[in-house]
Amino acid sequence: MSTRAKILAAVAVLGVLVILLSQGEAPSSRVQALRDDPMAGYAPSGGTLVDTESRNEGRSLGKPVPATYTRLFRLDADPGRALEEASAAATAAGWKPLGQATGSTFVGSKSIPSGRAVLTLALVEDGNLLPEGVDPPALSVGLRHLGG
């Protein structure tokens, strides 16, 4: 076996190990804090859950990476109304708007017992930004834990 083939095999094995180890990882306390927020369970009317992603905090290239919890919904109803309703639900759940909401986004901040969190509600109307098989429009509900 050539040196190049050995290197490629080692990289492939390492990649599989990383994937296997990351799949079985239990949610950290920060991810759990995000999942405990009412907006983590929010579902827009006329929306169908198509994807959920959770990532523990950590480091990448020496820089901190925050814990995140994101859910994606395909919308069968008016997307503008869906965002308005989601923004109202966020405000009712204690999220304070950061800046001016637009017709396609809402960003809010909230203090939670384990630190500070940010919520991003975003309409996604470009099919290239959605998982394969998901047609726009979609609503992304993303929470990030920024630490204490």
Side-chain angles (χ1 to χ4, degrees):
M1 185 183 272
S2 72
T3 303
R4 181 172 186 224
K6 289 178 184 177
I7 292 171
L8 290 175
V11 169
V13 169
L14 183 59
V16 169
L17 280 173
V18 168
I19 289 170
L20 290 174
L21 291 173
S22 67
Q23 295 296 323
E25 191 173 37
S28 69
S29 61
R30 288 183 176 183
V31 169
Q32 191 58 52
L34 296 174
R35 291 171 69 175
D36 290 343
D37 189 84
M39 290 307 292
Y42 178 81
S45 57
T48 303
L49 181 65
V50 294
D51 195 20
T52 301
E53 183 179 325
S54 178
R55 184 182 68 215
N56 288 340
E57 67 279 2
R59 298 189 82 72
S60 178
L61 301 174
K63 298 190 181 213
V65 176
T68 61
Y69 185 73
T70 304
R71 293 173 22 127
L72 183 67
F73 298 88
R74 186 186 74 242
L75 298 173
D76 297 322
D78 174 31
R81 183 173 172 91
L83 181 62
E84 287 176 20
E85 290 174 358
S87 299
T91 302
W95 291 92
K96 306 285 185 240
L98 292 174
Q100 186 68 30
T102 68
S104 61
T105 61
F106 169 93
V107 179
S109 176
K110 181 178 185 181
S111 290
I112 57 178
S114 58
R116 195 170 125 241
V118 172
L119 168 71
T120 303
L121 303 173
L123 287 179
V124 183
E125 301 188 83
D126 182 346
N128 294 318
L129 302 175
L130 295 170
E132 189 173 325
V134 177
D135 294 324
L139 177 68
S140 173
V141 179
L143 297 105
R144 282 183 301 149
H145 195 297
L146 301 180

